Amino acid sequence: MCYAIPAKVVSIQDNFCILDYFGEERKALLDIENVEVGDYIYAQGGISVRKIPHQEAAAVLATWQDIFFELKKTDSLLSKVDQEKLPANALAVLQKINLRQQINKQEMLSLLTLNTANELKVLYELANNIRQREHGNASCVHGILEFSNYCGQSCWYCGIRQEREIKRYRLTPEQIIAAAQSAVDTYGFKALVLQSGEDYWYDINKLTAIVQSIRAMGVLVFLSIGMRSIDTYQKLFTAGARAALLRFETSNQKIFHRLKPGVDFTERLELIKNLKKIGYIVATGFMLGLPEESAEDLVNNIALTQYLDPDMYSFGPLIPTTNTPLANQKKTHKDDVLKAIAVARLANPKANILVTTALETLDHNTKQEALLAGANSLMINITPTEYRDLYEIYEGKNKNLEIGSSIKNTTNLLYTLGRAPTDIGLL
Ligand code: SAH
């Protein structure tokens, strides 16, 4: 079982290499030593993470050889758009995108007002078509390990906010490393997201040790630990972390300051920008359906994500959770999230757009619908099952599906849609 197809290095220039996947080329940052043209490596999110022996690569490639071209065919078939059926406003947008022109906020707003089943179908098809044009059938699957639900913050939406009375847990560095090792050895993950509340029990020494050990397993270490100092993030980059997820949550500063008491919007934004400057692959985005949010706020959220120019877009619906100040907030409709994914894709054709677990929580089929509406990346929960229920940032999140079954479901889904885990590459 593996979540990355081995790539052959076809050329090297400075810090970058060009990789070949069955005739498709992608660019990646060279982050491992002693790589030469002709070598085989695994890359994740445009970063090379591990060199592998030729024999091992040949064996894995042989298992992919036959299905790879089948998958591409399926994906091409599924990403066709019948232009004849397009409503006039969608056609105008398509023409702009085909000319590689940027769509403006007004156009985004008008796409977000599409509502009939037929209009939505066309919108999603259009977004899927652009996803295919930019990324081919490449998809990306990361494992996520939720290692602590202790949190020093009081975010109104969040089920692990410090005021909420829940059973707290914290994995020791040894437990985290063991869980990561099992995800890598047993299940073949090549990228691991380490997520937690803002838990300062993990000081820089503990975090450094964790990052170093996991990086040494030959995988991409992806942090989602909230706001830490630039110095901490710099040290963790040096220790081997290469990606970070930090959402700005909402572009509306008034809403932000109400829902994240004690946190400064500008400071969070600056941190996101600095992560990029340090060299991290950055994932950022927002929540949909916060109280008092307007359609303009949603467009501004997409525009702010675009402005921050992240490597990965991560946004999902707010899931109202009991015993939080937003417990009674209306649930976001699935189509509103799918529309946002589609519009984000059309506004930024090259984006990597993640299907978030909150979206999956809305109903069981949304993963597939999101992948057909412009999204191209997924995450699989690898948190040990005894802790999974406790990491309840929102209700209904944890289905306690054992890792092997989640992987099977995800691979089946990707195959059905004709997607292959060739690396999504650098833009
Ligand atoms: N504590 C870290 C990371 C963990 S939370 C941080 O703050 O960055 C990860 C994301 O979950 C948050 O950024 C937020 O957007 C989302 N989230 C939190 N509560 C949620 C809820 N009730 N519904 C949907 N998403 C939620």
Side-chain angles (χ1 to χ4, degrees), residues 157-158 195-198 224-226 246-247 249 268 287 317-319 321 358 391 393-394:
Y157 41 82
C158 188
Q195 192 176 85
S196 67
E198 275 183 29
S224 176
I225 55 174
L246 193 70
R247 291 180 175 177
E249 313 293 6
R268 193 160 175 106
M287 263 179 290
L318 164 78
I319 311 285
T321 296
Y391 194 81
I393 46 179
Y394 42 82

Side-chain angles (χ1 to χ4, degrees), residues 144 150-151 153 155-160 194-199 223-227 233 245-249 260 268 285-288 290 314-321 324 326 356-359 391-395:
I144 178 162
Y150 280 86
C151 189
Q153 296 293 350
C155 309
W156 280 24
Y157 41 82
C158 188
I160 63 168
L194 303 176
Q195 192 176 85
S196 67
E198 275 183 29
D199 183 359
L223 301 172
S224 176
I225 55 174
M227 288 175 77
Y233 272 110
L245 165 63
L246 193 70
R247 291 180 175 177
F248 56 82
E249 313 293 6
K260 273 185 93 64
R268 193 160 175 106
F286 51 89
M287 263 179 290
L288 283 110
L290 297 177
S314 165
F315 55 86
L318 164 78
I319 311 285
T321 296
T324 65
L326 299 190
T356 54
T357 45
L359 175 55
Y391 194 81
E392 196 189 45
I393 46 179
Y394 42 82
E395 254 155 357

